[in-house]
Amino acid sequence: MTDQATSITASSIVAGTDSDRADVAAATTAAAEAFGAYRATSPEERSAFLEAVAGEIEADKDAIIREAVRESGLPEGRITGEVGRTTGQLRMFAAVVRQGDHLGVRIDPAMPDRAPLPRADIRQRMVPLGPVAVFGASNFPLAFSTAGGDTASALAAGCPVVVKGHPAHPVTGTLVARAITRAVEKSGLPAGTFSFVLGGIETGQELVRDPRIAAVGFTGSRGGGHALVEAAAARQVPIPVYAEMSSINPVVVLPGALDGDVDALATAYVGSLTLGAGQFCTNPGLLFLPSGEQGDAFLRAAGTAIGAASGQPMLTPGIAEAYASGTASLSGTEGIRLVGQGTAAGEHAPAPAIWEAPAELLALDDSTVTDEVFGASGVVVRFDGVADLLPRLEDLEGQLTATVHATDADTQDAAALLPVLELKAGRILVNGWPTGVEVGHAMVHGGPFPATSDSRTTSVGSLAIERFQRPVAYQDVPAALLPLAVRDDNPWGLLRRIDGTLEP
Amino acid sequence: MTDQATSITASSIVAGTDSDRADVAAATTAAAEAFGAYRATSPEERSAFLEAVAGEIEADKDAIIREAVRESGLPEGRITGEVGRTTGQLRMFAAVVRQGDHLGVRIDPAMPDRAPLPRADIRQRMVPLGPVAVFGASNFPLAFSTAGGDTASALAAGCPVVVKGHPAHPVTGTLVARAITRAVEKSGLPAGTFSFVLGGIETGQELVRDPRIAAVGFTGSRGGGHALVEAAAARQVPIPVYAEMSSINPVVVLPGALDGDVDALATAYVGSLTLGAGQFCTNPGLLFLPSGEQGDAFLRAAGTAIGAASGQPMLTPGIAEAYASGTASLSGTEGIRLVGQGTAAGEHAPAPAIWEAPAELLALDDSTVTDEVFGASGVVVRFDGVADLLPRLEDLEGQLTATVHATDADTQDAAALLPVLELKAGRILVNGWPTGVEVGHAMVHGGPFPATSDSRTTSVGSLAIERFQRPVAYQDVPAALLPLAVRDDNPWGLLRRIDGTLEP
């Protein structure tokens, strides 16, 4: 492949072509040069910069929305919402930085008279890791792309960012990159604080192998994430990769939940399954349904609802092809039956579908049922009681979410499921649907492998800032040399852990 | 090699032989079975268990000290101190668990009236990763071994532990393992909460490859750590490895520090270099010294002091051989000269030594000067001013510690060094020596690769508990199903982050 395009820094912007190796090196060199000055910014300066990024995106909102709709095929309402989510995320991280709890200040004061040995004065704070490479996602051209959650949290932590824009929306990415670089310039920050390159797999590999890159954020396919994890591990100095990859988001319907309005429940399921053409990481790809008459009724209602649904344009021809191949594999597997299917609306807007698969297929070393089919395709598996269900859940791979539908009558069963589900997933829902990820302080968008490559964190929500930091201790460092964050006079008014106890 | 020995759980103990594959599988199976019950313990139950472990070690203190002195060759005073450090560490983690801040509770309350979409109730807490494999270290038969920091922090997090005892002190390890298993039994915990196996490299690899193991703690050599990191990355489900591996702990002496008592400074340097036969991860292996007369005086004094030092028995014949080979490599390198050398005290108690190496050797692609020589061997490199020094420091690999000796007159120079050093090391010291790692809340014993395989954390101090946890979010989960840690009535009295702000 030819793998060439553009790098965008505050100094140079050329849109819509691929970056070459020199562009990648120029971007990472500029990021490394900017790191010292950028990480030295005060909480107020860094917060103001993040707010300036949000402001510059809003200033060019009309063009960004127009191009994102054109490039992604997603409806204008959705894209408009995503702009709000993107700027809201930037402002949330601005508030987090201003508050400063992420600096994790700890002070163990000296004990000069301790016997047998005196204790030194030891102070701890978090420092940023270094320049971060961010890979934009196809399915969120704004909120998980150029100025998305990975970029916002890395910049908030004090790390310069080099984004590899997603080839599915190069112009949108370029417009957002320009907005960020305007904010960099207006904030008086070094040009290398943010750079943008375009390109394919080779460009991405080049970026992850670059010795100046200290961490990687990625949202995309299992194969793509795996390749970056491997490249990062093979470096002379391995670096952390936060790759959000693959999840089928199991939903368990317990018997009590079928005592209510089964039609409404089935319609809500199909609504979540088909939302945005099913192109969400949290799409409910696998549903466990009780055997018996009420389960049958739910399945009939789901079949009817999906039958009435029509296809929506998928993000790229490649994604539409992968959907066709995934559903063909389900369709061609003995024992799997089609419960219902909607109507295709053109070559790249395939029919949504629901399948029923025998539970035995889950136990086999066959991933047809458990591989993510990115798009509006759902598999239903029946079960007889929780004792029958638990081993199936225990066999599942790691997930972003796990959902239980239950009423009070199901409490005992649900209580048996939750300890299993919370070891499988980053987020547990009851009586909801997993699509739609709230940006807040308590959210976890993460989970055990292969949902992500690193379950110890989240890519959505304020905790995400911690991915790009590491602790440093200062022992007997004189006041004049101490970083401001850990000085006695606490000029930034930070919350501090003194001898193990948090003190405001 | 034959690679066979013992597994110890609350049910079976056979000391001093090597574990075989069945022993490893039995230990990890027991750990996986114990995980559910162990992680469900309340803060009070888990704290009491950690305190019981400390109590059982103290109850068998005499035998443990006797065997550790015999197996390690370390003096009784040092080993006695290590027992105190080990039990102190366990009690510190008991206090951390009782306080509960590590559970990281975050609550974003529901906003049913928010427009355009209501906000769900979302709550977050940390859950333990699963069974942890811990590799005991040769140089701390107690504090970094069977019941050392990795074990204590993993147990504190709610993870069952399988220790592979170090072959250099199998009996000490077995005695400590018995103490832990007594505490497991007396606390009414499942036997698999703690297991102990002995063996060599194959046993270790087996343990890391075992699908029931969720994380690894290791302290040892660069080669050994690397092998475990690679094995963990090659698993079907990769897992985190916290390997503390290699560090030469640079010390910079600034000119002002030579204006005082140069003899005392040189003596302190040699004291740190030769402490415990130099067998500390934080041994000051590389010292940067100003050119000129005062630097010459320091070097002469250091040469005199090291000349008066005699060798101490090294931990194992293998370690003594590696020391001989490392010093032979220094001695055989053109341009490196011997500054001074002490007296050997037997085959496995080699002579401590200080070398002077030209700065050019640091810049070359030759690791003779920068490779860790485990033992009492130090290299001194001269410099002319900070401008000359900074590029040398920037070229160094990641370190556990970096130290500056300075007076007020050096403040400007020291201020220029610190931002570089804090990106290279986990702990910065001024006017101290890096040996001796305080166990507290602010300590960082960690640092960029190859000091450790994961710079985002520490293996000493209370922050170490966070290595073995991951966040889970609960969305609209009814009170009856919520984990106690995140319930409204806050039965454990935890500090909670409500809508982003910590509330007591």
PDB file of all heavy atoms in Angstrom, chain B residues 13 28 35 41 74 82-83 99 109 127 147 153 195 198 221 233 291 301 320 338-339 346 367 384 389 393 432 461 483:
ATOM      1  N   ILE B  13       1.984 -29.341  52.881  1.00  0.00           N
ATOM      2  CA  ILE B  13       3.281 -28.675  52.924  1.00  0.00           C
ATOM      3  C   ILE B  13       4.396 -29.713  52.889  1.00  0.00           C
ATOM      4  O   ILE B  13       4.466 -30.609  53.704  1.00  0.00           O
ATOM      5  CB  ILE B  13       3.432 -27.829  54.204  1.00  0.00           C
ATOM      6  CG1 ILE B  13       2.396 -26.707  54.215  1.00  0.00           C
ATOM      7  CG2 ILE B  13       4.838 -27.241  54.287  1.00  0.00           C
ATOM      8  CD1 ILE B  13       2.493 -25.785  55.402  1.00  0.00           C
ATOM      9  N   THR B  28      -2.950 -23.056  41.437  1.00  0.00           N
ATOM     10  CA  THR B  28      -3.741 -22.037  40.728  1.00  0.00           C
ATOM     11  C   THR B  28      -5.222 -22.406  40.727  1.00  0.00           C
ATOM     12  O   THR B  28      -6.084 -21.529  40.791  1.00  0.00           O
ATOM     13  CB  THR B  28      -3.245 -21.851  39.281  1.00  0.00           C
ATOM     14  OG1 THR B  28      -3.318 -23.104  38.595  1.00  0.00           O
ATOM     15  CG2 THR B  28      -1.799 -21.348  39.265  1.00  0.00           C
ATOM     16  N   PHE B  35     -11.065 -17.495  45.054  1.00  0.00           N
ATOM     17  CA  PHE B  35     -11.181 -16.076  44.711  1.00  0.00           C
ATOM     18  C   PHE B  35     -12.529 -15.473  45.117  1.00  0.00           C
ATOM     19  O   PHE B  35     -12.598 -14.418  45.755  1.00  0.00           O
ATOM     20  CB  PHE B  35     -10.916 -15.891  43.206  1.00  0.00           C
ATOM     21  CG  PHE B  35     -10.955 -14.468  42.729  1.00  0.00           C
ATOM     22  CD1 PHE B  35     -10.459 -13.420  43.503  1.00  0.00           C
ATOM     23  CD2 PHE B  35     -11.501 -14.158  41.475  1.00  0.00           C
ATOM     24  CE1 PHE B  35     -10.494 -12.104  43.048  1.00  0.00           C
ATOM     25  CE2 PHE B  35     -11.531 -12.843  41.015  1.00  0.00           C
ATOM     26  CZ  PHE B  35     -11.043 -11.829  41.808  1.00  0.00           C
ATOM     27  N   THR B  41     -14.702 -10.967  51.271  1.00  0.00           N
ATOM     28  CA  THR B  41     -14.470 -10.615  52.672  1.00  0.00           C
ATOM     29  C   THR B  41     -14.665  -9.112  52.875  1.00  0.00           C
ATOM     30  O   THR B  41     -14.378  -8.314  51.985  1.00  0.00           O
ATOM     31  CB  THR B  41     -13.032 -10.983  53.116  1.00  0.00           C
ATOM     32  OG1 THR B  41     -12.099 -10.442  52.158  1.00  0.00           O
ATOM     33  CG2 THR B  41     -12.847 -12.482  53.183  1.00  0.00           C
ATOM     34  N   LEU B  74      23.102 -13.326  54.993  1.00  0.00           N
ATOM     35  CA  LEU B  74      22.958 -11.954  55.485  1.00  0.00           C
ATOM     36  C   LEU B  74      23.035 -11.955  57.004  1.00  0.00           C
ATOM     37  O   LEU B  74      22.656 -12.930  57.659  1.00  0.00           O
ATOM     38  CB  LEU B  74      21.622 -11.365  55.020  1.00  0.00           C
ATOM     39  CG  LEU B  74      21.492 -11.160  53.502  1.00  0.00           C
ATOM     40  CD1 LEU B  74      20.053 -10.834  53.121  1.00  0.00           C
ATOM     41  CD2 LEU B  74      22.431 -10.054  53.019  1.00  0.00           C
ATOM     42  N   GLU B  82      14.426  -7.055  58.704  1.00  0.00           N
ATOM     43  CA  GLU B  82      13.542  -7.396  57.594  1.00  0.00           C
ATOM     44  C   GLU B  82      12.251  -8.042  58.078  1.00  0.00           C
ATOM     45  O   GLU B  82      11.206  -7.895  57.430  1.00  0.00           O
ATOM     46  CB  GLU B  82      14.281  -8.324  56.627  1.00  0.00           C
ATOM     47  CG  GLU B  82      14.114  -7.898  55.192  1.00  0.00           C
ATOM     48  CD  GLU B  82      14.692  -8.896  54.225  1.00  0.00           C
ATOM     49  OE1 GLU B  82      15.939  -9.002  54.182  1.00  0.00           O
ATOM     50  OE2 GLU B  82      13.913  -9.580  53.538  1.00  0.00           O
ATOM     51  N   VAL B  83      12.328  -8.799  59.172  1.00  0.00           N
ATOM     52  CA  VAL B  83      11.091  -9.364  59.729  1.00  0.00           C
ATOM     53  C   VAL B  83      10.156  -8.224  60.140  1.00  0.00           C
ATOM     54  O   VAL B  83       8.958  -8.227  59.838  1.00  0.00           O
ATOM     55  CB  VAL B  83      11.383 -10.286  60.935  1.00  0.00           C
ATOM     56  CG1 VAL B  83      10.083 -10.682  61.639  1.00  0.00           C
ATOM     57  CG2 VAL B  83      12.123 -11.539  60.489  1.00  0.00           C
ATOM     58  N   GLN B  99      -9.365   1.322  56.030  1.00  0.00           N
ATOM     59  CA  GLN B  99      -9.773   2.675  55.651  1.00  0.00           C
ATOM     60  C   GLN B  99     -10.604   2.651  54.364  1.00  0.00           C
ATOM     61  O   GLN B  99     -11.592   3.359  54.248  1.00  0.00           O
ATOM     62  CB  GLN B  99      -8.520   3.533  55.456  1.00  0.00           C
ATOM     63  CG  GLN B  99      -8.789   4.980  55.106  1.00  0.00           C
ATOM     64  CD  GLN B  99      -7.532   5.662  54.596  1.00  0.00           C
ATOM     65  OE1 GLN B  99      -6.851   5.148  53.705  1.00  0.00           O
ATOM     66  NE2 GLN B  99      -7.236   6.813  55.166  1.00  0.00           N
ATOM     67  N   PRO B 109     -25.039  10.418  40.774  1.00  0.00           N
ATOM     68  CA  PRO B 109     -26.455  10.106  40.994  1.00  0.00           C
ATOM     69  C   PRO B 109     -27.297  10.308  39.735  1.00  0.00           C
ATOM     70  O   PRO B 109     -26.938  11.088  38.844  1.00  0.00           O
ATOM     71  CB  PRO B 109     -26.871  11.110  42.089  1.00  0.00           C
ATOM     72  CG  PRO B 109     -25.605  11.599  42.695  1.00  0.00           C
ATOM     73  CD  PRO B 109     -24.578  11.535  41.596  1.00  0.00           C
ATOM     74  N   VAL B 127     -12.514  -3.640  41.832  1.00  0.00           N
ATOM     75  CA  VAL B 127     -12.581  -5.065  42.182  1.00  0.00           C
ATOM     76  C   VAL B 127     -11.196  -5.680  41.957  1.00  0.00           C
ATOM     77  O   VAL B 127     -10.420  -5.183  41.131  1.00  0.00           O
ATOM     78  CB  VAL B 127     -13.644  -5.831  41.347  1.00  0.00           C
ATOM     79  CG1 VAL B 127     -15.034  -5.237  41.552  1.00  0.00           C
ATOM     80  CG2 VAL B 127     -13.280  -5.864  39.877  1.00  0.00           C
ATOM     81  N   ALA B 147       6.081 -13.442  51.977  1.00  0.00           N
ATOM     82  CA  ALA B 147       5.055 -12.572  52.568  1.00  0.00           C
ATOM     83  C   ALA B 147       5.446 -11.115  52.379  1.00  0.00           C
ATOM     84  O   ALA B 147       5.104 -10.255  53.188  1.00  0.00           O
ATOM     85  CB  ALA B 147       4.867 -12.884  54.050  1.00  0.00           C
ATOM     86  N   SER B 153       0.288  -6.686  49.191  1.00  0.00           N
ATOM     87  CA  SER B 153      -0.599  -5.772  48.463  1.00  0.00           C
ATOM     88  C   SER B 153      -1.633  -6.535  47.641  1.00  0.00           C
ATOM     89  O   SER B 153      -2.775  -6.092  47.506  1.00  0.00           O
ATOM     90  CB  SER B 153       0.220  -4.819  47.584  1.00  0.00           C
ATOM     91  OG  SER B 153       1.091  -5.515  46.731  1.00  0.00           O
ATOM     92  N   SER B 195      -0.955 -20.042  48.284  1.00  0.00           N
ATOM     93  CA  SER B 195      -0.198 -21.269  48.011  1.00  0.00           C
ATOM     94  C   SER B 195       1.258 -20.914  47.753  1.00  0.00           C
ATOM     95  O   SER B 195       1.582 -19.775  47.396  1.00  0.00           O
ATOM     96  CB  SER B 195      -0.760 -22.010  46.795  1.00  0.00           C
ATOM     97  OG  SER B 195      -2.088 -22.409  47.014  1.00  0.00           O
ATOM     98  N   LEU B 198       7.793 -24.208  44.876  1.00  0.00           N
ATOM     99  CA  LEU B 198       9.227 -23.987  44.691  1.00  0.00           C
ATOM    100  C   LEU B 198       9.619 -24.511  43.325  1.00  0.00           C
ATOM    101  O   LEU B 198       8.980 -25.423  42.799  1.00  0.00           O
ATOM    102  CB  LEU B 198      10.022 -24.719  45.766  1.00  0.00           C
ATOM    103  CG  LEU B 198      10.094 -24.018  47.128  1.00  0.00           C
ATOM    104  CD1 LEU B 198      10.599 -24.986  48.182  1.00  0.00           C
ATOM    105  CD2 LEU B 198      10.990 -22.787  47.060  1.00  0.00           C
ATOM    106  N   SER B 221      16.123 -10.153  38.141  1.00  0.00           N
ATOM    107  CA  SER B 221      17.031  -9.680  37.098  1.00  0.00           C
ATOM    108  C   SER B 221      16.266  -9.195  35.877  1.00  0.00           C
ATOM    109  O   SER B 221      15.084  -9.491  35.682  1.00  0.00           O
ATOM    110  CB  SER B 221      17.958 -10.820  36.671  1.00  0.00           C
ATOM    111  OG  SER B 221      17.204 -11.794  35.968  1.00  0.00           O
ATOM    112  N   ALA B 233       2.622 -11.722  27.836  1.00  0.00           N
ATOM    113  CA  ALA B 233       2.082 -11.078  26.629  1.00  0.00           C
ATOM    114  C   ALA B 233       1.664 -12.112  25.594  1.00  0.00           C
ATOM    115  O   ALA B 233       0.785 -11.861  24.769  1.00  0.00           O
ATOM    116  CB  ALA B 233       3.115 -10.122  26.039  1.00  0.00           C
ATOM    117  N   SER B 291      34.506  17.582  37.170  1.00  0.00           N
ATOM    118  CA  SER B 291      35.943  17.591  36.897  1.00  0.00           C
ATOM    119  C   SER B 291      36.606  18.585  37.832  1.00  0.00           C
ATOM    120  O   SER B 291      35.936  19.412  38.449  1.00  0.00           O
ATOM    121  CB  SER B 291      36.209  18.028  35.450  1.00  0.00           C
ATOM    122  OG  SER B 291      35.525  17.173  34.579  1.00  0.00           O
ATOM    123  N   ALA B 301      39.294  10.175  48.138  1.00  0.00           N
ATOM    124  CA  ALA B 301      38.692   9.759  49.408  1.00  0.00           C
ATOM    125  C   ALA B 301      37.829   8.509  49.224  1.00  0.00           C
ATOM    126  O   ALA B 301      37.842   7.603  50.067  1.00  0.00           O
ATOM    127  CB  ALA B 301      37.853  10.900  49.990  1.00  0.00           C
ATOM    128  N   ALA B 320      27.539 -14.140  42.858  1.00  0.00           N
ATOM    129  CA  ALA B 320      28.967 -13.835  42.968  1.00  0.00           C
ATOM    130  C   ALA B 320      29.652 -13.981  41.614  1.00  0.00           C
ATOM    131  O   ALA B 320      30.517 -13.168  41.239  1.00  0.00           O
ATOM    132  CB  ALA B 320      29.615 -14.754  44.012  1.00  0.00           C
ATOM    133  N   LEU B 338      40.615   1.575  37.538  1.00  0.00           N
ATOM    134  CA  LEU B 338      40.202   1.223  38.892  1.00  0.00           C
ATOM    135  C   LEU B 338      40.580   2.364  39.837  1.00  0.00           C
ATOM    136  O   LEU B 338      41.759   2.719  39.950  1.00  0.00           O
ATOM    137  CB  LEU B 338      40.902  -0.078  39.309  1.00  0.00           C
ATOM    138  CG  LEU B 338      40.503  -0.671  40.661  1.00  0.00           C
ATOM    139  CD1 LEU B 338      39.055  -1.133  40.668  1.00  0.00           C
ATOM    140  CD2 LEU B 338      41.431  -1.835  41.017  1.00  0.00           C
ATOM    141  N   VAL B 339      39.613   2.916  40.526  1.00  0.00           N
ATOM    142  CA  VAL B 339      39.878   3.991  41.488  1.00  0.00           C
ATOM    143  C   VAL B 339      40.344   3.403  42.810  1.00  0.00           C
ATOM    144  O   VAL B 339      41.262   3.924  43.453  1.00  0.00           O
ATOM    145  CB  VAL B 339      38.613   4.844  41.711  1.00  0.00           C
ATOM    146  CG1 VAL B 339      38.811   5.872  42.833  1.00  0.00           C
ATOM    147  CG2 VAL B 339      38.201   5.538  40.418  1.00  0.00           C
ATOM    148  N   GLY B 346      36.923 -14.328  50.730  1.00  0.00           N
ATOM    149  CA  GLY B 346      36.486 -15.671  50.334  1.00  0.00           C
ATOM    150  C   GLY B 346      35.906 -15.645  48.939  1.00  0.00           C
ATOM    151  O   GLY B 346      35.667 -14.579  48.360  1.00  0.00           O
ATOM    152  N   SER B 367      27.072  -0.943  26.572  1.00  0.00           N
ATOM    153  CA  SER B 367      26.385  -0.904  27.849  1.00  0.00           C
ATOM    154  C   SER B 367      27.286  -1.302  29.019  1.00  0.00           C
ATOM    155  O   SER B 367      26.811  -1.510  30.118  1.00  0.00           O
ATOM    156  CB  SER B 367      25.159  -1.819  27.799  1.00  0.00           C
ATOM    157  OG  SER B 367      25.571  -3.132  27.482  1.00  0.00           O
ATOM    158  N   ASP B 384      31.743  18.479  33.171  1.00  0.00           N
ATOM    159  CA  ASP B 384      32.107  19.901  33.278  1.00  0.00           C
ATOM    160  C   ASP B 384      30.844  20.733  33.139  1.00  0.00           C
ATOM    161  O   ASP B 384      30.477  21.133  32.040  1.00  0.00           O
ATOM    162  CB  ASP B 384      33.072  20.290  32.146  1.00  0.00           C
ATOM    163  CG  ASP B 384      34.450  19.713  32.364  1.00  0.00           C
ATOM    164  OD1 ASP B 384      35.035  19.975  33.423  1.00  0.00           O
ATOM    165  OD2 ASP B 384      34.929  18.997  31.455  1.00  0.00           O
ATOM    166  N   LEU B 389      26.418  17.786  31.371  1.00  0.00           N
ATOM    167  CA  LEU B 389      25.824  16.638  32.061  1.00  0.00           C
ATOM    168  C   LEU B 389      24.447  16.244  31.518  1.00  0.00           C
ATOM    169  O   LEU B 389      24.125  15.050  31.393  1.00  0.00           O
ATOM    170  CB  LEU B 389      25.711  16.988  33.555  1.00  0.00           C
ATOM    171  CG  LEU B 389      25.091  15.964  34.482  1.00  0.00           C
ATOM    172  CD1 LEU B 389      25.888  14.676  34.487  1.00  0.00           C
ATOM    173  CD2 LEU B 389      24.984  16.534  35.900  1.00  0.00           C
ATOM    174  N   LEU B 393      22.494  12.448  31.086  1.00  0.00           N
ATOM    175  CA  LEU B 393      21.340  11.988  31.872  1.00  0.00           C
ATOM    176  C   LEU B 393      20.169  11.628  30.962  1.00  0.00           C
ATOM    177  O   LEU B 393      19.467  10.646  31.189  1.00  0.00           O
ATOM    178  CB  LEU B 393      20.912  13.080  32.872  1.00  0.00           C
ATOM    179  CG  LEU B 393      21.966  13.462  33.918  1.00  0.00           C
ATOM    180  CD1 LEU B 393      21.433  14.589  34.809  1.00  0.00           C
ATOM    181  CD2 LEU B 393      22.373  12.259  34.770  1.00  0.00           C
ATOM    182  N   GLY B 432      20.935  12.634  49.830  1.00  0.00           N
ATOM    183  CA  GLY B 432      20.802  11.361  50.532  1.00  0.00           C
ATOM    184  C   GLY B 432      21.434  10.278  49.675  1.00  0.00           C
ATOM    185  O   GLY B 432      22.137  10.562  48.696  1.00  0.00           O
ATOM    186  N   GLY B 461       5.121   0.540  49.297  1.00  0.00           N
ATOM    187  CA  GLY B 461       4.248   1.625  49.724  1.00  0.00           C
ATOM    188  C   GLY B 461       2.794   1.311  49.434  1.00  0.00           C
ATOM    189  O   GLY B 461       2.473   0.397  48.671  1.00  0.00           O
ATOM    190  N   PRO B 483     -23.136  -3.881  45.386  1.00  0.00           N
ATOM    191  CA  PRO B 483     -22.096  -4.217  46.371  1.00  0.00           C
ATOM    192  C   PRO B 483     -22.158  -3.214  47.530  1.00  0.00           C
ATOM    193  O   PRO B 483     -22.487  -2.035  47.321  1.00  0.00           O
ATOM    194  CB  PRO B 483     -20.800  -4.044  45.579  1.00  0.00           C
ATOM    195  CG  PRO B 483     -21.187  -4.074  44.142  1.00  0.00           C
ATOM    196  CD  PRO B 483     -22.594  -3.601  44.058  1.00  0.00           C
TER     197      PRO B 483
END
